[in-house]
Amino acid sequence: MRAINHYFYSAFAVVLLGSGLASCDGYLDVSPTDQVSDNNAWATTGNADMFLNDIYGSIPGSFTTNDPDESFSDNTMRGSSSGYSFTAYAKSSYTPGSVRDDWTTNYAKIRKCNLFIEKVTASALPDAWKTMRIAETRFLRAYFYQMLWVRYGGVPIITEVLNREEQGDEIFRERSTSDETFKFITDECAAMATDLPLTPDKGRASKGAALTLKGWCELFQASPLKNPTNDKTRWAAAAATNKQVMDLNKYSLFPDLETLFYEENNNNVEVIFDKAYLGGTTLGASREGLHGAWIVGGTQRAWSAPNPTQEIVDSYFMANGLPITDPASGYDPQNPYLNREKRFYQSVIYDGCKWLGYEMEMWIGSGSRNTLDLSSANEATNTGYYLRKGLNPKYEFASGDQRLSSASFIIFRYAEVLLSYAEARNEEVGPDETVYSAVKKVRERSGLPALKSGLTQAQMRALIQQERRVELAFEEKRWPDLLRLKIAETTLNGPFHAMKIVKEAGKKVYSVIEAPNGGRIFFANKNYLLPIPQPVLDKNAKLKQNPNY
């Protein structure tokens, strides 16, 4: 990843290439290109690469924010009474006039992709280089369209550079349907996969990345939100594309889930596509300082922004592979952290565990500053838990946005492909041997036994969904899963929960309570899509707002 990180650093050193494209007239308008010297920008592969690397750098990641998208889901919640996920999304109080504007942000990135494709196509640069870089840019454009599609449904498909001064109101387009938007994204992925290398330069798009993006969109399209009649051909398409990724024989599971996310293991055998960071610069990652435990060893180490909920803690299996709801699992509500699966201990900081050599205490009366915060008065946990997954202990010494780490934010990894295949194949034909095999590989890494034979399709569905939630926890996957599975109306309605621990006669007593500020509201008649921001509608009268906003 160091190679592409160097590219990103160079790209920002000449950020005027990107900033010269900024528009004051809205997401479709492009400022005159004479603000940038075309002769310089597109005369060499090095200069053109800097422009493209600026687009790569604009891929969103969660390592420089204290309000990651995971807190839009039921896996984590804000540890303080702030942040968009708490102030607006949790209560479904956002409106077209107040919603976070992901629309304009993504169209600005798409516009840069269109400009790159146009300029490089017309340039005299080497044909082989042009073919590969244009394919990369089409991948990035498809990825940004995917973000719009998941959030808003059908959107205008813009593939050319538009100019308000030359075209006037012709730049404003109607929304394509959701199905048309999906088809555009997946057609692009299929087409560009043939031009992308199997093994690219570090951090760049690959054939595997294009197919994985396609397979993810097909899984979303096959799921209940988009597929109310349960058309099995959609599930078959998702299964087939994820199987294509498996059949590349390029990826495998990294042996240790705990260190998979450390910078030392960037671009390991499991990584399909990621976003790079460069520690020690403004492009560094700050996950440890933003997401880690608040107080460790009497010292503030982080802002503890996302607190794992009791809901995600209860989703981890027991060491024997059974859910805690199974009477045979051995789960003891008064010893809830005993004999849990390895991923729990690798992912969650809980009362009594050791972190950075110190025992963490969240029980009420402990005297620790980490005591469960029942009034949400400070940055102490509101749930009884702190995040551990992916946090490198060597950076747990400075709180806040410290930008010290070069760990990449993994967007697609092989475990997700295996679980997506298993889910789609189970819905297509039921729990055949290939479904069992895919799930077994993921569970084996964490020391869990294989699933018992003879499961029904419904039983397998529930286990795959639980397995997916646990394996991909805190990786920005849960929120879109809640949407596509159409279960947000249940999981995001009502309170999240916390673990309250007190001592009685010298013995800890555990009780699950409603988490402070844990209430959630989700309106099924509208909240599966976000509203188009009002300023966007004001500029383009051809756009129609999503229902019930």
Side-chain angles (χ1 to χ4, degrees):
M1 186 57 69
R2 284 287 176 181
I4 193 68
N5 269 326
H6 173 72
Y7 293 149
F8 286 157
Y9 187 80
S10 299
F12 275 79
V14 289
V15 72
L16 65 128
L17 285 176
S19 63
L21 302 177
S23 170
C24 61
D25 287 327
Y27 72 93
L28 293 176
D29 188 18
V30 177
S31 296
T33 57
D34 61 6
Q35 293 181 21
V36 180
S37 171
D38 283 349
N39 289 336
N40 290 332
W42 316 107
T44 69
T45 57
N47 284 352
D49 268 342
M50 285 192 290
F51 189 98
L52 179 55
N53 292 328
D54 184 46
I55 301 175
Y56 271 106
S58 70
I59 295 170
S62 64
F63 291 176
T64 54
T65 176
N66 61 358
D67 196 23
D69 281 1
E70 196 76 358
S71 293
F72 284 48
S73 78
D74 54 350
N75 280 354
T76 69
M77 58 174 280
R78 287 280 295 179
S80 60
S81 304
S82 63
Y84 185 78
S85 68
F86 174 84
T87 60
Y89 192 80
K91 301 170 177 60
S92 294
S93 61
Y94 51 88
T95 67
S98 66
V99 69
R100 188 176 71 181
D101 191 355
D102 293 331
W103 181 287
T104 300
T105 300
N106 279 293
Y107 270 109
K109 299 169 186 178
I110 289 167
R111 184 180 59 218
K112 287 186 178 182
C113 292
N114 291 339
L115 182 64
F116 182 90
I117 293 169
E118 177 184 287
K119 294 296 185 181
V120 167
T121 299
S123 74
L125 296 171
D127 288 342
W129 180 91
K130 288 165 64 172
T131 297
M132 184 168 63
R133 291 293 190 258
I134 288 172
E136 290 179 45
T137 310
R138 290 172 67 185
F139 167 83
L140 293 171
R141 185 175 64 185
Y143 181 78
F144 299 137
Y145 269 116
Q146 169 264 158
M147 297 190 74
L148 288 166
W149 178 61
V150 167
R151 288 160 172 77
Y152 301 102
V155 298
I157 303 298
I158 310 297
T159 58
E160 70 270 30
V161 179
L162 302 176
N163 189 307
R164 180 71 179 274
E165 291 184 5
E166 297 176 359
Q167 297 172 277
D169 288 347
E170 290 182 10
I171 68 169
F172 296 118
R173 309 290 173 83
E174 296 179 351
R175 298 175 67 176
S176 297
T177 66
S178 176
D179 288 348
E180 289 167 344
T181 305
F182 160 76
K183 186 175 187 303
F184 170 78
I185 297 168
T186 52
D187 284 353
E188 284 287 282
C189 289
M192 74 187 75
T194 62
D195 290 332
L196 288 170
L198 188 59
T199 305
D201 292 337
K202 291 180 180 179
R204 294 193 177 277
S206 65
K207 180 176 184 177
L211 291 175
T212 303
L213 176 58
K214 180 174 183 281
W216 156 244
C217 291
E218 288 169 337
L219 188 73
F220 201 101
Q221 180 77 348
S223 299
L225 179 66
K226 302 285 188 181
N227 187 20
T229 62
N230 197 28
D231 180 355
K232 291 188 181 297
T233 64
R234 295 191 181 188
W235 292 110
T241 301
N242 281 285
K243 185 64 162 59
Q244 276 186 276
V245 180
M246 295 160 64
D247 289 344
L248 293 175
N249 295 317
K250 169 68 177 175
Y251 309 104
S252 58
L253 296 179
F254 187 76
D256 181 20
L257 184 67
E258 182 166 6
T259 61
L260 183 154
F261 306 95
Y262 291 2
E263 65 184 13
E264 294 84 355
N265 293 317
N266 282 346
N267 304 114
N268 63 66
V269 295
E270 187 164 344
V271 177
I272 299 173
F273 188 65
D274 57 9
K275 173 183 172 61
Y277 290 91
L278 183 60
T281 76
T282 57
L283 307 179
S286 305
R287 193 178 194 192
E288 286 77 12
L290 295 174
H291 299 179
W294 183 37
I295 304 294
V296 184
T299 301
Q300 182 175 353
R301 307 293 183 104
W303 288 355
S304 63
N307 294 170
T309 62
Q310 188 64 44
E311 280 74 12
I312 181 60
V313 169
D314 287 348
S315 293
Y316 286 95
F317 296 88
M318 298 294 287
N320 59 16
L322 297 176
I324 67 170
T325 53
D326 191 316
S329 71
Y331 177 71
D332 179 1
Q334 289 306 310
N335 204 347
Y337 312 132
L338 179 67
N339 294 328
R340 302 300 292 271
E341 61 156 299
K342 186 187 299 185
R343 287 176 296 193
F344 170 69
Y345 302 114
Q346 294 171 330
S347 302
V348 178
I349 292 173
Y350 57 94
D351 180 80
C353 79
K354 288 288 186 71
W355 178 236
L356 306 181
Y358 297 93
E359 181 176 347
M360 301 297 291
E361 294 182 300
M362 281 73 106
W363 61 277
I364 294 175
S366 66
S368 167
R369 293 167 69 190
N370 290 312
T371 296
L372 176 66
D373 184 4
L374 293 174
S375 61
S376 197
N378 52 40
E379 292 174 302
T381 174
N382 285 175
T383 63
Y385 306 102
Y386 291 116
L387 182 67
R388 178 172 181 167
K389 185 176 183 179
L391 301 185
N392 193 328
K394 75 179 185 180
Y395 293 124
E396 285 283 1
F397 60 84
S399 65
D401 194 10
Q402 15 107 321
R403 308 277 172 145
L404 296 174
S405 174
S406 295
S408 297
F409 172 61
I410 300 174
I411 296 170
F412 293 127
R413 60 184 177 95
Y414 189 55
E416 181 181 358
V417 170
L418 291 172
L419 294 173
S420 294
Y421 170 78
E423 179 182 348
R425 181 67 175 170
N426 182 59
E427 297 299 334
E428 178 195 1
V429 300
D432 68 7
E433 186 277 330
T434 68
V435 174
Y436 275 94
S437 175
V439 177
K440 179 182 178 181
K441 290 176 182 177
V442 177
R443 288 169 63 90
E444 274 185 337
R445 179 188 25 209
S446 294
L448 294 178
L451 298 176
K452 67 179 181 181
S453 60
L455 295 174
T456 66
Q457 184 184 55
Q459 290 171 328
M460 179 63 82
R461 177 186 301 124
L463 284 168
I464 289 172
Q465 289 181 11
Q466 183 172 353
E467 185 68 32
R468 183 180 179 96
R469 181 180 189 180
V470 169
E471 175 66 23
L472 303 177
F474 318 127
E475 297 180 44
E476 308 281 283
K477 301 292 181 178
R478 179 64 175 170
W479 182 50
D481 278 349
L482 295 180
L483 299 180
R484 71 178 179 86
L485 294 171
K486 216 170 184 296
I487 57 176
E489 59 202 71
T490 300
T491 59
L492 299 183
N493 255 332
F496 291 162
H497 291 85
M499 181 63 79
K500 179 182 178 181
I501 309 170
V502 298
K503 276 192 175 180
E504 297 179 1
K507 182 181 179 181
K508 289 182 178 178
V509 178
Y510 298 80
S511 57
V512 175
I513 64 170
E514 293 186 9
N517 290 324
R520 293 296 182 269
I521 298 172
F522 188 94
F523 297 108
N525 68 334
K526 64 178 181 178
N527 291 156
Y528 281 105
L529 295 174
L530 294 176
I532 299 174
Q534 191 61 47
V536 174
L537 293 173
D538 292 342
K539 290 183 175 72
N540 183 0
K542 294 181 180 179
L543 293 177
K544 292 183 179 180
Q545 182 59 275
N546 279 324
N548 300 316
Y549 284 108

